[in-house]
Amino acid sequence: MSHLLKKRKLDKNVQENLYFDSYSDVTIHEEMIADHVRTNTYRTAILRSSDSIRGRVVLDVGAGTGVLSMFCVQAGAKKVYAVEACSIAEQAVKIVKQNQMDDRIEVIRGTVETIDLPVEGVDVIVSEWMGYALLHESMLNSVLYARDKWLKPGGLMLPSKAELYISPINDLVVEDRLNFWCTVKDQYGIDMSPMSEFAKKCIMNNDIAINLVTVEDVLSHPSRLAELDLHTVTPEQVASVRGTFSCECFGSAAVNALCIWFTVSFPGDDKPLVLSTSPFKPETHWKQAVLYLDSPRDVMQDTKVVGEIHMYPSEESARHICIHVECAIGEHKKQSKTFSIPDGYSEAQQ
């Protein structure tokens, strides 16, 4: 094996260790449990699926503190295998015992790709695998591995579907930051307008910004980019998610960014239960993914914003996503730009 290949393998191991280590701290688990939209939607979905869970065997992929596993016991699960790769598994064992569920929940330390289950198959797979923009640092590939190896025919996936959406936005905060440098002269008698172009390069860069987008900033109805059926989607399809979009603007404004968010759906008798990270819905810890365009464009009522999106893993880390955008606004020339989430972003949020 060449030195370069060894280095790449080491880098991958380091990246995996950093990823799992980030889940060993209390902060990220506090943030997830405190996210009422996330936690309550999962609890509601699991309890609503009690007819499919009662007396059955469940696999919880990336169990963390074990909260989803315990929801499954509340729904009547006979046995839950809670698989968790990082050291938070030690806390999950204590929490499970504290709630007197250790006779039905077995916490297994390791990744689903490396552990063995004491059963040949499971009836249900539950996992909260979603990352920023759905796929950044997500565990979806591990969920699909578990599905293909252990889920019985006709088994239940929770959630069962994921969808990506996009809309053009006018980020007023960014506009104010860029205009700030032109106001300094009026306050202090110093013309700092040359900073405006530098500020634009720093702020409207190639980073995927994870921000809360207000409803007032959204300039159109959402356009659906992609749909993933968790029962059938393959790792190869997840590694290259493509979609087209077409939006018509509500009124006069300047489009300076695109906003991406996701939903996941849980099956139901009447209609699915949806966990949404839309700016039109209550806030979640996922917020929204914002892609700043190099050249903002003025739009009017019914101006079309059309384009294509390609989401794929970064060459540096398979867990990190890149988003390539081709976008045309009205009659203006098409813009092309590739975005990624900067290294260390997840750690910086803790």
Side-chain angles (χ1 to χ4, degrees), residues 38 42 46 60 63 66-73 126-128:
R38 164 201 179 269
Y42 265 88
I46 289 169
D60 182 358
V67 64
L68 302 188
S69 295
M70 289 181 281
F71 290 161
C72 289
V73 170
V126 63
S127 180
E128 194 274 81

Side-chain angles (χ1 to χ4, degrees), residues 142-172:
S142 294
V143 174
L144 301 186
Y145 177 93
R147 177 201 68 190
D148 294 342
K149 185 171 183 178
W150 286 300
L151 188 64
K152 295 177 182 177
L156 180 65
M157 295 286 291
L158 296 173
S160 59
K161 183 173 71 172
E163 295 172 284
L164 281 159
Y165 293 88
I166 191 169
S167 279
I169 65 170
N170 172 226
D171 190 329
L172 295 175

Side-chain angles (χ1 to χ4, degrees), residues 282-295:
E283 173 187 336
T284 74
H285 77 281
W286 287 286
K287 304 177 185 177
Q288 289 83 37
V290 178
L291 314 176
Y292 291 108
L293 303 176
D294 288 333
S295 303

Side-chain angles (χ1 to χ4, degrees), residues 135-147:
L135 297 176
H136 182 74
E137 286 196 340
S138 85
M139 299 185 300
L140 183 51
N141 281 336
S142 294
V143 174
L144 301 186
Y145 177 93
R147 177 201 68 190

Side-chain angles (χ1 to χ4, degrees), residues 88-136:
I88 200 68
E90 298 168 11
Q91 303 305 316
V93 171
K94 296 177 183 178
I95 296 168
V96 167
K97 188 172 182 179
Q98 179 71 21
N99 286 272
Q100 299 178 348
M101 295 182 181
D102 46 322
D103 60 330
R104 287 201 272 173
I105 298 176
E106 180 179 342
V107 179
I108 301 174
R109 176 79 185 271
T111 65
V112 292
E113 292 86 355
T114 57
I115 60 98
D116 291 316
L117 291 182
V119 293
E120 291 186 2
V122 300
D123 304 292
V124 182
I125 291 179
V126 63
S127 180
E128 194 274 81
W129 52 266
M130 301 83 71
Y132 297 121
L134 186 66
L135 297 176
H136 182 74

Side-chain angles (χ1 to χ4, degrees), residues 227-238:
E227 176 182 331
L228 304 179
D229 182 337
L230 276 301
H231 284 281
T232 60
V233 70
T234 66
E236 292 74 23
Q237 290 169 329
V238 171

